[in-house]
Amino acid sequence: MFLKNILYHFGRYVMMLGTAISRPEKVSMYYRETMRQMNDIGIGSLFIVGLIAIFIGAVTAVQFSYQLDGTLVPVYYIGYVVRDMTIIELAPTFTCLVLAGKVGSNIASEIGGMRQKEHIDAMEIMGVNTAAYLILPKVIAALVVIPMLVAVGAFISIIGGYLASVPTGVMADADYIKGLRSFFDPFNVTMMFIKAVVFAFILTTVSCYQGYHVRGGSIELGQASTNAVVFSDILILVADYLLAVILTS
């Protein structure tokens, strides 16, 4: 039964995506909606992403400096670890997990509310491809904006590590900068953006699916919003592991 449900929902999910990526009827309408979604997802999430990122970098620096205490490892390694941990893992994963809660639940509630109020049914009667109009702009906006948010989050995390290390006397300014410049591999940045794109696609499409196929009243809508966050987070973590295996092999 469990496998049957998974296959059933996966099939509906794939069918929904196939309908959503079809050719738009009126490009100007899709362009305006995409710009609106980019503003909502990007500008609307900038503060929470920045707040989380600065503490991610600060905590990473503090924890690693604690691990280095009394060892022979050079102190500048703190900057090196903060940079690589932030770029490879913390910035894309934490940012997208948080956005799954903020953006994902909002998407599921918005589309689910339209389904419950029969707005989607009315649009379909008028011949509108509702899957494409409601889902495609959100996916495009997320694929463009979320990698930008991840890049900003990575930068702010490195600043957070600096603020937690240098002004507190853990290490000198020159040592932290030396660590940031040491052993740099440009592929790590590529890996960060690959993860950001994949995670953005997952959290957007899963949330759209939960809202688009919601049935019932307010309780079911609340469940759809919760499922959007839970399933998005689970799939993001699974994808994170698979990408780590593939990209580092």
Side-chain angles (χ1 to χ4, degrees):
M1 181 63 73
F2 178 71
L3 180 60
K4 180 180 177 182
N5 286 334
I6 291 178
L7 293 176
Y8 170 73
H9 287 291
F10 179 73
R12 286 212 302 177
Y13 172 77
V14 173
M15 291 173 63
M16 182 198 73
L17 289 181
T19 307
I21 61 176
S22 61
R23 187 174 182 272
E25 294 92 348
K26 191 175 180 181
V27 176
S28 60
M29 291 175 56
Y30 284 67
Y31 176 78
R32 289 196 299 269
E33 180 64 14
T34 301
M35 292 298 105
R36 186 181 75 84
Q37 292 296 331
M38 289 176 68
N39 180 72
D40 291 344
I41 296 173
I43 304 301
S45 305
L46 191 58
F47 175 76
I48 185 66
V49 169
L51 183 65
I52 291 172
I54 196 167
F55 283 103
I56 286 175
V59 171
T60 303
V62 170
Q63 291 288 347
F64 192 67
S65 65
Y66 169 74
Q67 296 294 326
L68 287 184
D69 189 32
T71 67
L72 299 178
V73 179
V75 71
Y76 74 84
Y77 267 58
I78 294 175
Y80 159 61
V81 169
V82 169
R83 183 201 68 206
D84 276 6
M85 283 294 296
T86 295
I87 292 175
I88 295 173
E89 183 62 31
L90 299 181
T93 306
F94 273 68
T95 298
C96 291
L97 288 175
V98 171
L99 291 178
K102 181 184 180 299
V103 176
S105 62
N106 182 62
I107 289 174
S109 299
E110 178 185 340
I111 298 179
M114 295 181 67
R115 172 67 75 182
Q116 289 183 333
K117 295 173 183 176
E118 299 182 348
H119 293 172
I120 295 179
D121 296 332
M123 293 169 66
E124 288 176 345
I125 291 174
M126 292 187 293
V128 177
N129 183 350
T130 54
Y133 179 70
L134 296 175
I135 296 172
L136 188 59
K138 292 178 174 60
V139 174
I140 294 174
L143 293 178
V144 172
V145 173
I146 289 180
M148 296 181 184
L149 288 174
V150 169
V152 171
F155 178 74
I156 295 176
S157 291
I158 292 173
I159 295 177
Y162 178 91
L163 295 176
S165 302
V166 177
T168 57
V170 174
M171 60 191 303
D173 175 270
D175 287 331
Y176 189 80
I177 295 175
K178 179 182 178 181
L180 293 180
R181 293 176 173 176
S182 301
F183 318 113
F184 178 66
D185 183 0
F187 181 71
N188 291 341
V189 178
T190 303
M191 192 186 308
M192 177 185 74
F193 283 116
I194 292 174
K195 287 186 175 184
V197 169
V198 173
F199 297 165
F201 182 81
I202 289 174
L203 73 90
T204 310
T205 55
V206 170
S207 301
C208 288
Y209 173 80
Q210 292 294 330
Y212 192 76
H213 292 289
V214 70
R215 291 290 186 272
S218 57
I219 295 177
E220 287 75 14
L221 181 59
Q223 290 175 344
S225 298
T226 302
N227 290 338
V229 178
V230 172
F231 293 149
S232 295
D233 285 348
I234 293 173
L235 292 174
I236 284 172
L237 293 174
V238 172
D240 185 30
Y241 170 75
L242 294 176
L243 287 174
V245 171
I246 293 171
L247 296 175
T248 59
S249 60

